[in-house]
Amino acid sequence: MRVFVLDKNLKPLDPCHPARARELLSCMRAYVHKRYPFTIVLQDRSVENSTVHPHRIKIDPGSKVTGIAVVQEQTGRVTNALEISHRGQQVKNALESRRALRRGRRNRKTRYRKPRFLNRTRKQGWLPPSLESRIANIETWVRRIRKLCRVTAISTELVRFDLQQMQNPEISGIEYQRGELFGFEVKEYLLTKWGRNCAYCSIENVPLEIEHIVAKSRGGSNRVSNLTLACRKCNEAKGNKPIEQFLKKKPDLLKKILRSAKAPLKDATAVNATRWELYRRLQSTGLSVEVGSGGRTKFNRKIRGIEKHHWTDAACVGASTPERLLLLGIKPLLIAAKGHGTRQRCRPDKFGFPKAHAPKAKSFQGFQTGDIVKADVPTGKFAGQYVGRIAIRFRPSFVLQLPTQKFDVHPKYLKTIHKADGYEYQSSLLLMPYRTIY
Ligand SMILES: [Zn+2]
């Protein structure tokens, strides 16, 4: 993990090693600009008189967690890695509870009102709010990184497999040995086609092997229409038996497998709406956007012998991935989307009856829910120093949320180190020394 560096006009320079940043901070040549991600301002430098290398933002969008890696293109060094946890499910739950509440109220109060739920139109490119929030999270972080580092290109994963590279997979025979890019595309294709479970016993969440429906020793081909996925046990049990014999007791399953084996997978199933929309929005940044397939990502990661994490997957997205990726000692900054609070003033109980009223104000004594603070509690059960996120109350007793515990603190013991920005952070850089300039 490197530290982002800005020049005195807040223009991005090359990120530097944390040790170098500590040195610059302690000899007062730099000051802290931002805690998350850690950024310093070098006061005696400007972009004009220093060389700045181009970087590429690489994104592996996921439904729960998105990995982002910032890679220096010439050296292949991963300078920074982020893992963003989205709040799609929370958004969905909140909207569902609101809908149920409103529906109940309409039923009670306006029973004879004409329905008017069908006279609404949606803007083009509309996505459900839960998906929209995911895209917005990624857009936000691309925008933020661009302010901290010179970014010239973006890579993102768009599809699970690349149909064009496979060229009509159901017809052509394809080599799928380990280590071949095609093999990874074929595996991803099969995973999508057969639904990520064993074709014979439908077990899930186990390693699946590519299985020939007509065994090779019986003249079966390498065409995708002759391939399916099976768990180790089923694969061994079937061996080179004909499928008709192996599934003698399950005629329905046999019929289903034979039917779906011949049917080609439609192009559309490889791409989902969210990723397309993300791709469109990334293009509107004006940077060159490269797209990769899931098969390519896996291939890139496997041949480089890199462990699987969201951020390493991100670093391996796309054909432009450098031959050597330098990622020793990188620890990703873990980011969790937390939203910006709620406008709901009435807090109902589970039956929809008003339970409490929330004040309109968002801040109290200069603090806001979501601020990250340094707490120095002198006495009491929780005496000590902490860094964490606070939730405010409208009296001098805030809740300090730490990874393992939470307790009440008086605001006089708190000092804000990072203003609420809709995200929560967890990183190893929490205890960097810092100096603020007023
Ligand atoms: Zn099985």
Side-chain angles (χ1 to χ4, degrees):
M1 190 82 177
R2 302 223 145 195
V3 172
F4 290 113
V5 184
L6 303 177
D7 77 349
K8 60 186 174 189
N9 303 315
L10 303 185
K11 295 273 184 310
L13 298 167
D14 274 350
C16 73
H17 195 276
R20 177 74 184 138
R22 267 195 297 275
E23 212 173 82
L24 290 168
L25 287 168
S26 63
C27 70
M28 303 293 215
R29 278 183 62 199
Y31 66 87
V32 175
H33 176 63
K34 213 183 208 225
R35 304 287 301 192
Y36 306 97
F38 201 78
T39 308
I40 59 172
V41 175
L42 204 48
Q43 287 170 292
D44 51 7
R45 207 49 101 66
S46 70
V47 174
E48 288 76 38
N49 54 29
S50 41
T51 47
V52 186
H53 293 92
H55 292 75
R56 179 183 282 271
I57 298 180
K58 309 187 88 180
I59 307 168
D60 173 30
S63 62
K64 290 207 181 83
V65 178
T66 291
I68 295 184
V70 183
V71 179
Q72 203 171 56
E73 294 221 76
Q74 285 156 359
T75 53
R77 180 185 298 287
V78 178
T79 58
N80 283 83
L82 319 172
E83 286 189 2
I84 308 169
S85 319
H86 302 296
R87 55 193 291 274
Q89 194 58 45
Q90 268 169 282
V91 170
K92 197 172 171 219
N93 292 345
L95 288 174
E96 257 164 22
S97 84
R98 185 181 75 181
R99 190 170 61 184
L101 223 122
R102 287 183 173 176
R103 183 168 289 164
R105 182 163 60 222
R106 278 199 302 276
N107 269 334
R108 292 196 307 277
K109 313 265 191 204
T110 61
R111 294 198 69 155
Y112 303 104
R113 187 158 80 189
K114 269 192 192 159
R116 53 184 187 194
F117 61 92
L118 282 175
N119 63 356
R120 308 286 202 271
T121 51
R122 277 171 178 166
K123 265 192 250 165
Q124 230 196 336
W126 178 91
L127 283 173
S130 54
L131 306 186
E132 180 65 40
S133 91
R134 265 192 245 159
I135 297 182
N137 288 162
I138 300 173
E139 266 189 300
T140 300
W141 279 98
V142 169
R143 197 173 58 241
R144 286 183 187 177
I145 294 169
R146 286 185 69 192
K147 283 186 187 165
L148 305 177
C149 175
R150 178 182 285 177
V151 176
T152 52
I154 301 176
S155 300
T156 182
E157 198 179 290
L158 183 63
V159 289
R160 298 215 178 283
F161 47 85
D162 195 342
L163 270 181
Q164 231 145 40
Q165 278 212 346
M166 291 166 66
Q167 291 164 6
N168 211 348
E170 301 292 342
I171 294 169
S172 53
I174 285 164
E175 292 304 312
Y176 54 86
Q177 278 96 6
R178 249 166 201 291
E180 290 266 339
L181 172 57
F182 282 155
F184 286 87
E185 302 284 6
V186 172
K187 184 88 185 270
E188 287 301 309
Y189 181 89
L190 289 172
L191 282 169
T192 311
K193 182 174 166 180
W194 294 95
R196 292 181 184 271
N197 50 24
C198 171
Y200 300 131
C201 67
S202 25
I203 188 171
E204 279 176 57
N205 299 322
V206 291
L208 296 171
E209 296 171 353
I210 292 181
E211 138 83 11
H212 288 73
I213 295 174
V214 179
K216 265 173 107 176
S217 60
R218 291 180 180 266
S221 75
N222 273 345
R223 287 181 184 175
V224 177
S225 54
N226 187 39
L227 300 178
T228 183
L229 293 168
C231 66
R232 182 90 238 206
K233 239 166 112 185
C234 294
N235 201 350
E236 273 174 356
K238 179 169 175 284
N240 71 346
K241 273 184 237 159
I243 186 166
E244 290 80 9
Q245 191 192 329
F246 179 63
L247 292 176
K248 210 159 42 184
K249 288 177 188 159
K250 297 178 187 167
D252 288 349
L253 183 63
L254 174 67
K255 230 157 94 193
K256 199 183 124 210
I257 289 176
L258 290 179
R259 183 156 26 86
S260 43
K262 287 280 179 290
L265 189 57
K266 282 202 194 85
D267 215 350
T269 44
V271 184
N272 65 39
T274 328
R275 287 179 171 200
W276 261 116
E277 185 57 29
L278 175 66
Y279 173 54
R280 272 192 284 269
R281 298 207 198 162
L282 291 175
Q283 273 184 321
S284 72
T285 57
L287 299 174
S288 76
V289 182
E290 175 201 41
V291 293
S293 67
R296 160 84 69 176
T297 303
K298 216 170 183 177
F299 169 74
N300 280 344
R301 187 163 56 73
K302 285 271 163 72
I303 58 166
R304 287 171 181 78
I306 299 168
E307 237 180 281
K308 184 180 165 63
H309 298 288
H310 294 287
W311 68 274
T312 49
D313 258 354
C316 293
V317 165
S320 68
T321 307
E323 199 84 334
R324 265 183 72 216
L325 273 176
L326 304 173
L327 29 77
L328 203 71
I330 297 282
K331 281 194 188 119
L333 175 63
L334 305 179
I335 301 170
K338 288 283 169 184
H340 294 271
T342 170
R343 283 201 189 83
Q344 209 175 53
R345 296 282 74 95
C346 175
R347 300 284 156 82
D349 62 15
K350 65 177 174 180
F351 305 109
F353 286 104
K355 187 176 65 176
H357 185 80
K360 201 170 156 197
K362 274 193 97 172
S363 65
F364 185 72
Q365 297 194 351
F367 291 94
Q368 191 185 331
T369 295
D371 284 349
I372 293 168
V373 297
K374 205 171 167 188
D376 197 349
V377 186
T379 51
K381 188 177 158 194
F382 295 107
Q385 288 193 332
Y386 310 91
V387 171
R389 189 176 187 268
I390 48 161
I392 62 161
R393 295 193 187 107
F394 289 87
R395 55 192 148 93
S397 163
F398 298 164
V399 186
L400 181 64
Q401 296 158 338
L402 301 173
T404 49
Q405 57 178 348
K406 60 179 182 179
F407 52 88
D408 294 356
V409 280
H410 193 286
K412 70 182 170 190
Y413 302 133
L414 304 179
K415 198 171 163 197
T416 309
I417 58 169
H418 191 88
K419 277 284 192 190
D421 60 359
Y423 295 90
E424 188 181 40
Y425 305 90
Q426 223 183 315
S427 90
S428 51
L429 286 173
L430 274 178
L431 296 167
M432 288 280 289
Y434 71 101
R435 167 168 84 99
T436 34
I437 281 197
Y438 298 101

